[in-house]
Amino acid sequence: MRRPKKFFSGGPRTFVITFVVIVGIVLLAQLVTHMMNTDHVAYSQFSESLTKGKIAQLYQNGQQVEGVYRDGKRFETVVPANWDYRIVERQKDIAYVILPPRQFSLPLILSLLLGFFILGAFLWTMLRQSRSSGSSGGGSGIFGVGRSNAQMFVPEQVKVKFDDVAGLHGAKEDLLDVIDFLKNPKKFSKLGAKVPKGTLMIGEPGNGKTLLAKAVAGEANCAFFSVSASSFVEMFVGVGASRVRDLFARARKNAPCIVFIDEIDAVGSHRGRGYGGGNDEREQTLNQLLTEMDGFATSDDTVVILAATNRPDVLDRALLRPGRFDRQVNVPYPDVRSRLQILQVHIKNIKCDSSVDLDKVARSTVGFSGADLANVVNEAAILAAKAGIKKSNADMFEEALDRITLGKEHKSIVLTELDREMTAYHEAGHTLINILLPDDLEPLHKVTIVPRGRALGVTFSLPERDKYSSNEAEMKALVAKLMAGRIAEELKFDKRATGAHNDFEKATEIVQKMVRFYGMSESLGNVVYKDNDQFSDETVSLIDQEVRRIVKECYDMAAKLLRDNRDKLDKIANGLLESELLSAAQVYALLDMEQPKVATLELESVEADSTSV
Ligand code: ADP
Ligand code: ZN
């Protein structure tokens, strides 16, 4: 958490500095007013004023003459070297002083010097302070403009370890070689291995990206810089770029270290996008970031950059190129087991009595982020404190849950138990068809009822090979799989929910293509009906009829399969309700079926392309 630096937070030293500064400013102000109130006049004008008797006082120091008019205004002038001062003696009522050389305006010069000295000393301390104490955010103060406002933590300050991050096993595993590199960079260079310099962490807010980044620093025992990319971008063009430069310079000085850039999309979205059309400032900032990263890629600096975003889709491709953020780590919403572990991590900090059933809390918090869960625990502790009780109890957890849920309602999906069960059956339906038609469908990858974005659940399958064409049986099997979600819901609950809308949309699209483009309908024949063509009413209704017929055929096929395998459907659904995420292997094990051999594929790299329904 960043707090604004308080100006008067430094105790007696700050007080003295402030006092001295004020004195300096007063002295300088006096000097300035003196100079401003003094009129610089030409000799001719001075001469005229003198003969007309307008001058009350006169101080001469060599050729320098200062004086005061009768109306109180001050003036100064320079007189010729051979000026005849006796002209003054002819005037009445004038105070005329000839000052000894050099003494003239000594106090003025002194106060001037003193003022400058004090201000200089002040600026110097400020500069030194903001340089040395990076951890307090050197960005504040007058020198802050071009400096990065990154927070720096020295190794001793980073106390988070991997054990403090619950769940996220995949992400942790992916980050192991980052730790390895930070601890032992020489090993990497010796082996000629690719150095993991830039990693992009993808996930919704509150799921532990920052925590994870910090834990990597904790494990590697290195310094940690944390900054939000949105703080780079300022009103003035060039400021962001200079902040990026400053950040990386500081990072290099503190190597080995981690630079964590949150919300990288704030500077890293496609160029030419975003507010105000071509945004020069953001573009310059992004370019500077790219330049710095390229510099790292070829240097020996042991600096690792971890960036976080929940919008990888808007990122500029240039950021993802090799040598930049070429590695990606997913930080998803926690499944039920991870939720339990997160609760366990946070409950260590508070006291609970035995009525608290964390298992139950974990089960009833689908769609909660790690931060939400931390909040639940915190809220329960507050409720106990308010009630004047030492330990939180189950009722307090119940109430805490309600509060956080209410707060979340607008932001994300909150599921009732019935929603959850329906989702489980829906996904089980897709999954079962996927398994029962192995020849026509891409192999099952995993299935989950943890909400993602706006989808309540997802069944993933994996393309075994790049697909260039599909045949009729495959397309019908896919449509059957799409229908199966709704069918499973109806089988179990005898209810129709809205969740199948997206499935139907996809199915309709596929069948439309079968009928209109691929000649897979007897009654329409091998004719292509393009989108913009004008059809007769008869043709339009024939297309509709055929689309409906084929969809029905697929629906019936799926319904029969599900009815005949009802026991399997129930097993998958129950498995999902229990653990929320099942890998293909786990599904096959549940059903006591042998998993067909899948051509080896790197799962991670395929995930993005996997079809989901
Ligand atoms: P992000 O950076 O993804 O928005 P944070 O790392 O800031 O999320 O997480 C916010 C807080 O939520 C953390 O400080 C921690 O208390 C809690 N939290 C999130 N994920 C986890 C986790 N996996 N294990 C333990 N605590 C977590
Ligand atoms: Zn579906």
Side-chain angles (χ1 to χ4, degrees), residues 123-141:
L123 295 185
W124 183 73
T125 8
M126 281 258 319
L127 197 65
R128 248 183 37 144
Q129 258 189 354
S130 58
R131 279 237 176 98
S132 60
S133 66
S135 59
S136 64
S140 48

Side-chain angles (χ1 to χ4, degrees), residues 426 430 503 613:
H426 180 106
H430 289 316
D503 294 339
V613 285

Side-chain angles (χ1 to χ4, degrees), residues 382-397:
I382 290 173
L383 287 170
K386 271 193 193 151
I389 305 176
K390 283 223 174 70
K391 294 177 173 179
S392 307
N393 59 32
D395 290 344
M396 288 162 181
F397 268 84

Side-chain angles (χ1 to χ4, degrees), residues 426-427 430 457-459 481-486 489 499-504 506 612-613:
H426 180 106
E427 295 308 321
H430 289 316
V458 189
T459 300
K481 177 178 162 183
L482 286 163
M483 294 293 128
R486 158 61 67 80
E489 285 175 36
H501 163 82
N502 201 259
D503 294 339
F504 292 163
K506 278 188 201 158
S612 59
V613 285

Side-chain angles (χ1 to χ4, degrees), residues 34-167:
H34 172 87
M35 294 203 308
M36 291 213 308
N37 290 340
T38 306
D39 213 6
H40 297 260
V41 299
Y43 171 66
S44 55
Q45 198 187 335
F46 160 70
S47 234
E48 197 190 318
S49 304
L50 189 62
T51 45
K52 282 188 178 161
K54 284 184 182 168
I55 292 168
Q57 299 170 26
L58 212 53
Y59 305 89
Q60 189 190 359
N61 185 329
Q63 282 178 262
Q64 292 278 350
V65 171
E66 270 190 60
V68 182
Y69 292 117
R70 293 206 188 278
D71 62 7
K73 283 198 183 122
R74 293 172 161 277
F75 70 90
E76 62 182 30
T77 190
V78 178
V79 295
N82 57 353
W83 186 57
D84 184 1
Y85 61 87
R86 274 167 300 184
I87 191 172
V88 181
E89 292 175 345
R90 273 177 238 135
Q91 306 294 323
K92 281 178 218 151
D93 275 344
I94 185 165
Y96 179 49
V97 181
I98 297 182
L99 296 164
R102 251 174 290 147
Q103 219 181 344
F104 174 67
S105 83
L106 185 66
L108 220 65
I109 292 168
L110 269 186
S111 63
L112 184 78
L113 280 179
L114 191 64
F116 275 126
F117 171 76
I118 287 166
L119 256 181
F122 171 67
L123 295 185
W124 183 73
T125 8
M126 281 258 319
L127 197 65
R128 248 183 37 144
Q129 258 189 354
S130 58
R131 279 237 176 98
S132 60
S133 66
S135 59
S136 64
S140 48
I142 6 179
F143 292 98
V145 185
R147 297 176 50 90
S148 84
N149 19 25
Q151 256 185 314
M152 182 195 158
F153 301 87
V154 296
E156 297 75 45
Q157 284 176 302
V158 188
K159 302 231 164 64
V160 186
K161 290 272 161 41
F162 262 12
D163 278 347
D164 302 312
V165 186

Side-chain angles (χ1 to χ4, degrees), residues 317-511:
R317 293 283 121 204
L319 271 171
L320 307 176
R321 258 181 233 139
R324 294 170 183 169
F325 294 106
D326 47 8
R327 296 153 47 96
Q328 305 195 350
V329 170
N330 278 319
V331 184
Y333 276 108
D335 60 14
V336 65
R337 247 162 301 175
S338 303
R339 289 203 301 273
L340 181 61
Q341 288 163 5
I342 294 174
L343 287 166
Q344 281 163 344
V345 164
H346 289 279
I347 213 148
K348 278 186 205 146
N349 307 322
I350 74 164
K351 290 198 173 77
C352 297
D353 68 20
S354 56
S355 67
V356 178
D357 181 358
L358 275 195
D359 241 62
K360 194 172 147 223
V361 179
R363 263 182 281 119
S364 48
T365 43
V366 190
F368 275 51
S369 67
D372 293 331
L373 293 168
N375 251 333
V376 169
V377 175
N378 193 34
E379 196 75 28
I382 290 173
L383 287 170
K386 271 193 193 151
I389 305 176
K390 283 223 174 70
K391 294 177 173 179
S392 307
N393 59 32
D395 290 344
M396 288 162 181
F397 268 84
E398 195 73 28
E399 185 172 349
L401 235 147
D402 286 350
R403 287 191 182 186
I404 310 287
T405 309
L406 272 178
K408 273 173 64 70
E409 213 145 32
H410 305 284
K411 280 184 267 164
S412 61
I413 308 158
V414 180
L415 293 182
T416 64
E417 191 53 29
L418 180 64
D419 288 336
R420 206 169 100 87
E421 283 171 21
M422 281 188 99
T423 308
Y425 267 87
H426 180 106
E427 295 308 321
H430 289 316
T431 302
L432 187 54
I433 297 295
N434 208 146
I435 285 183
L436 294 176
L437 301 174
D439 296 336
D440 295 326
L441 289 173
E442 279 147 0
L444 178 70
H445 173 34
K446 64 182 177 190
V447 49
T448 173
I449 56 167
V450 178
R452 312 188 155 221
R454 297 220 307 286
L456 296 182
V458 189
T459 300
F460 293 91
S461 56
L462 264 189
E464 235 174 321
R465 57 206 132 77
D466 291 342
K467 255 199 148 154
Y468 296 108
S469 72
S470 36
N471 61 39
E472 189 175 352
E474 287 169 348
M475 291 172 105
K476 282 186 175 169
L478 188 51
V479 175
K481 177 178 162 183
L482 286 163
M483 294 293 128
R486 158 61 67 80
I487 299 168
E489 285 175 36
E490 275 195 273
L491 272 181
K492 172 74 180 173
F493 299 99
D494 203 17
K495 264 191 189 144
R496 292 178 180 177
T498 55
H501 163 82
N502 201 259
D503 294 339
F504 292 163
E505 200 170 293
K506 278 188 201 158
T508 311
E509 201 176 303
I510 294 168
V511 178

